[in-house]
Amino acid sequence: MAVILTKYLAVNRSFQCISALPKTLLHHCRCLYEQGQSPKKGIREYFYYVDHQGQLFMDDARIKNFTSCFKEKDFLEFFYKRVKINNTGRYEKEFAFVSPCGREKNYIRCDDLPIVFTNVIENSTGGDELIFGYVGDRMSVPFQPEAICMVLESGRVYHPAEVKVGGVGLIKSALAIELSQFFGYEEGEDDTLNAPTTFEWKGTKYNLHNELLEKLRSR
């Protein structure tokens, strides 16, 4: 990981936190850090950003798009397998997640959540899994149709993830659009639509328990 970061830092020395944060917090964030800083002997700190498509960037990258995101699969797998809620006592408000690597601390800020599911695949036993991290089928969770959840206010769709990352992950917008055709709704008062109540998958209709809504509202 350190070799990859050294190559990146050789061409990007701005060390500014360019983001979609509110202006007041963005101004504060710009003064927080320098990439590769050492708060104490033997410790190095780096700062990352995950967008709503699940793409990973250095947080200070001026341009964040497909050309500037990390793509090396071994690095991405190594990084995402270690992601957890930031309880380090450092940068917890601005960088809510961290991917520790020995003496290297990699703090993560997100457009939404650090785990973004990009596709549904069928495994060797015929079960379905949601993959994430842009490493093919190296990282996945079992697909739980009854647990999928849509937030009406944003239109974003979520699915359970590991407890260490808060128990919830975002479904990438392109995949969410594909899955939206399987939602069933009940009309509310004045013919308004409530959140989806059912999800039909491979011939089975599941009643949605929407338990993730509480997790999302408590963030």
Side-chain angles (χ1 to χ4, degrees):
M1 182 178 290
V3 173
I4 294 174
L5 291 175
T6 299
K7 291 180 179 178
Y8 173 87
L9 294 174
V11 296
N12 189 332
R13 295 289 183 179
S14 61
F15 301 137
Q16 291 188 2
C17 179
I18 307 302
S19 69
L21 283 172
K23 289 183 178 179
T24 53
L25 186 55
L26 174 57
H27 176 75
H28 175 63
C29 189
R30 284 173 175 157
C31 304
L32 285 178
Y33 68 82
E34 282 192 353
Q35 294 284 12
Q37 68 188 21
S38 181
K40 59 182 180 180
K41 186 177 180 180
I43 299 295
R44 291 286 180 182
E45 296 179 327
Y46 298 93
F47 301 82
Y48 292 82
Y49 175 75
V50 177
D51 71 5
H52 66 283
Q53 304 294 343
Q55 297 177 123
L56 178 68
F57 306 87
M58 296 305 294
D59 185 60
D60 57 319
R62 290 184 176 277
I63 298 175
K64 293 181 172 70
N65 56 33
F66 179 75
T67 61
S68 60
C69 70
F70 286 94
K71 303 177 185 66
E72 210 285 318
K73 289 185 178 181
D74 289 340
F75 168 76
L76 290 169
E77 181 180 14
F78 184 90
F79 186 93
Y80 278 110
K81 280 186 174 180
R82 289 160 176 76
V83 173
K84 62 181 182 179
I85 293 172
N86 181 8
N87 293 319
T88 65
R90 288 178 62 79
Y91 304 106
E92 291 182 9
K93 180 179 179 180
E94 297 83 4
F95 295 85
F97 300 89
V98 64
S99 176
C101 174
R103 293 180 174 272
E104 188 176 295
K105 307 301 180 186
N106 303 297
Y107 299 98
I108 308 164
R109 186 172 59 78
C110 311
D111 175 72
D112 195 327
L113 291 166
I115 303 304
V116 180
F117 301 111
T118 58
N119 208 347
V120 182
I121 62 170
E122 188 174 289
N123 61 31
S124 59
T125 61
D128 294 313
E129 297 183 354
L130 283 171
I131 60 175
F132 64 95
Y134 292 97
V135 294
D137 61 358
R138 295 188 195 181
M139 293 188 296
S140 64
V141 300
F143 182 42
Q144 304 173 52
E146 74 283 358
I148 200 169
C149 171
M150 177 189 286
V151 176
L152 281 181
E153 293 81 359
S154 65
R156 289 186 172 181
V157 181
Y158 299 85
H159 183 276
E162 291 183 274
V163 173
K164 67 176 184 174
V165 296
V168 57
L170 174 68
I171 293 181
K172 183 180 176 180
S173 56
L175 178 59
I177 291 171
E178 291 181 26
L179 296 177
S180 65
Q181 62 184 304
F182 304 117
F183 282 119
Y185 301 82
E186 292 182 0
E187 290 187 357
E189 296 180 4
D190 301 323
D191 296 328
T192 57
L193 287 179
N194 295 318
T197 56
T198 62
F199 185 82
E200 188 167 346
W201 183 251
K202 293 187 174 180
T204 301
K205 181 177 284 190
Y206 297 88
N207 291 318
L208 300 177
H209 52 63
N210 287 323
E211 292 177 0
L212 292 183
L213 285 176
E214 289 303 315
K215 291 181 181 292
L216 293 165
R217 288 167 180 163
S218 64
R219 287 192 297 167

